[in-house]
Amino acid sequence: MNRPGPAALRVRRAVQAWDRAHGTGGPVAVALSGGADSLALLTGVLAAGLDAVALTVDHGLQDGSAAVAEAAAAAAREAGAMRTEVLRVAVEGPGGPEGAARAARYAALDAARGRLPVLLGHTLDDQAETVLLGLGRGSGARSLAGMAAWAAPYGRPLLGVRRADTRAACAELGLTPWEDPHNLDPRYTRVRLRTEVLPLLEEVLGGGVADSLARTAASLRADNDALDALAPAPSEADLEVEAVAGLPAALRLRALRTWLAGRGARALTGAHLVAVDALVTDWHGQGPTAIPGGSAGRRLQVHRTGGILRAW
């Protein structure tokens, strides 16, 4: 590889800062697609002096995907990864192609990582897109807080690095990243955010939108962490309404989210929580509220009976 330039140095410093805050200085696994973000991340990890295992997931969704995965693994070996592995998965199940692929990818990474943390190549631009998605879906401060730099076992060292920098870093190092055609497919909501919505916002608001959205996420994440620490975490199957009715809304909704998750709820939105909260704060004998359950196609029914909430 060529000598690092300014962009590659920014990537390396971001990895070093992440490792000081969240790592141990020990080996890590890197989720490597072969694209610019993950390839720059791997080179930054190695330049920071960390040993790396490169894990490449072949979703099998495109012609030639096996060759792309093998090329990514070869690039990792040449860069100096101590081990590489190609993980072939079957993409099936709920959530549409994007959701099913994501679930298969994370399951494969978790199974292959051993005890190592897995570093992901999400950038500041990805964070901005995530915040916009959460805003559009009305799913509350938790979604607007975006992605965490560390949520065991996954780390995201590049949340302060622009996508343009990962591309520039690859160019400086003489690396040719893979260009995923899905990243230009307007059928995907995130692609339209990236190619249409964010550029328009940058134009209308005079620039700096992506950075501002990322700062908003960081601020809300700090607020969320503080409120989560204050909120009770009910674990009993039955929840007494009096135990949460007197809490401020910010804490009450968090307590309800924790309780529902313990009952098998998944993919909760702000609307789901508001509906369950009405059983506590606006009770007038209404029937049960349905929320997504713990398996595909299943719905949990949340009932209030005699001052008790139950979900089944």
Side-chain angles (χ1 to χ4, degrees):
M1 288 192 296
N2 301 336
R3 291 177 61 84
L9 290 174
R10 281 192 285 274
V11 170
R12 185 189 73 189
R13 289 168 186 151
V15 172
Q16 290 170 328
W18 182 90
D19 190 55
R20 286 193 299 270
H22 307 289
T24 63
V28 296
V30 175
L32 179 68
S33 68
D37 298 341
S38 62
L39 196 55
L41 173 61
L42 176 64
T43 61
V45 165
L46 296 171
L50 302 177
D51 290 328
V53 172
L55 302 177
T56 300
V57 178
D58 175 11
H59 300 86
L61 295 177
Q62 303 174 40
D63 292 339
S65 65
V68 170
E70 292 296 344
R77 287 192 292 270
E78 185 174 348
M82 64 179 185
R83 180 168 63 83
T84 66
E85 188 172 351
V86 173
L87 313 172
R88 293 183 171 83
V89 300
V91 176
E92 54 192 10
E98 286 181 282
R102 185 183 306 111
R105 177 167 64 253
Y106 278 95
L109 291 171
D110 193 46
R113 70 181 180 88
R115 296 186 176 181
L116 299 180
V118 180
L119 302 191
L120 308 171
H122 294 128
T123 65
L124 184 149
D125 299 82
D126 294 304
Q127 185 75 298
E129 294 160 12
T130 299
V131 173
L132 277 179
L133 282 170
L135 182 64
R137 292 168 178 166
S139 44
R142 187 177 297 271
S143 289
L144 296 183
M147 297 175 286
W150 173 242
Y154 298 104
R156 298 175 175 88
L158 304 187
L159 289 181
V161 175
R162 297 302 302 263
R163 188 175 291 134
D165 282 328
T166 64
R167 289 184 173 278
C170 289
E172 290 168 1
L173 297 170
L175 301 172
T176 303
W178 171 59
E179 300 291 347
D180 185 350
H182 284 171
N183 288 337
L184 296 175
D185 190 338
R187 292 176 297 176
Y188 297 106
T189 302
R190 189 176 282 268
V191 171
R192 297 196 67 188
L193 280 177
R194 180 178 307 151
T195 60
E196 300 175 34
V197 178
L198 269 170
L200 180 60
L201 285 173
E202 295 279 358
E203 177 187 339
V204 171
L205 298 178
V209 171
D211 293 276
S212 297
L213 289 169
R215 286 196 301 273
T216 297
S219 176
L220 282 171
R221 182 162 293 281
D223 292 349
N224 279 333
D225 288 346
L227 289 169
D228 285 347
L230 294 172
S235 58
E236 299 296 325
D238 294 345
L239 178 62
E240 293 186 10
V241 170
E242 287 187 0
V244 295
L247 294 173
L251 301 184
R252 186 176 65 249
L253 290 171
R254 282 168 168 78
L256 289 173
R257 179 186 289 275
T258 299
W259 176 70
L260 290 167
R263 308 279 68 75
R266 59 176 179 80
L268 289 173
T269 66
H272 293 134
L273 285 173
V274 167
V276 174
D277 189 46
L279 297 177
V280 175
T281 62
D282 187 27
W283 174 247
H284 48 270
Q286 66 265 41
T289 291
I291 59 174
S295 58
R298 182 175 172 229
R299 306 284 285 179
L300 287 173
Q301 300 289 326
V302 183
H303 304 251
R304 174 169 170 165
T305 306
I308 299 291
L309 291 188
R310 296 184 174 90
W312 63 81

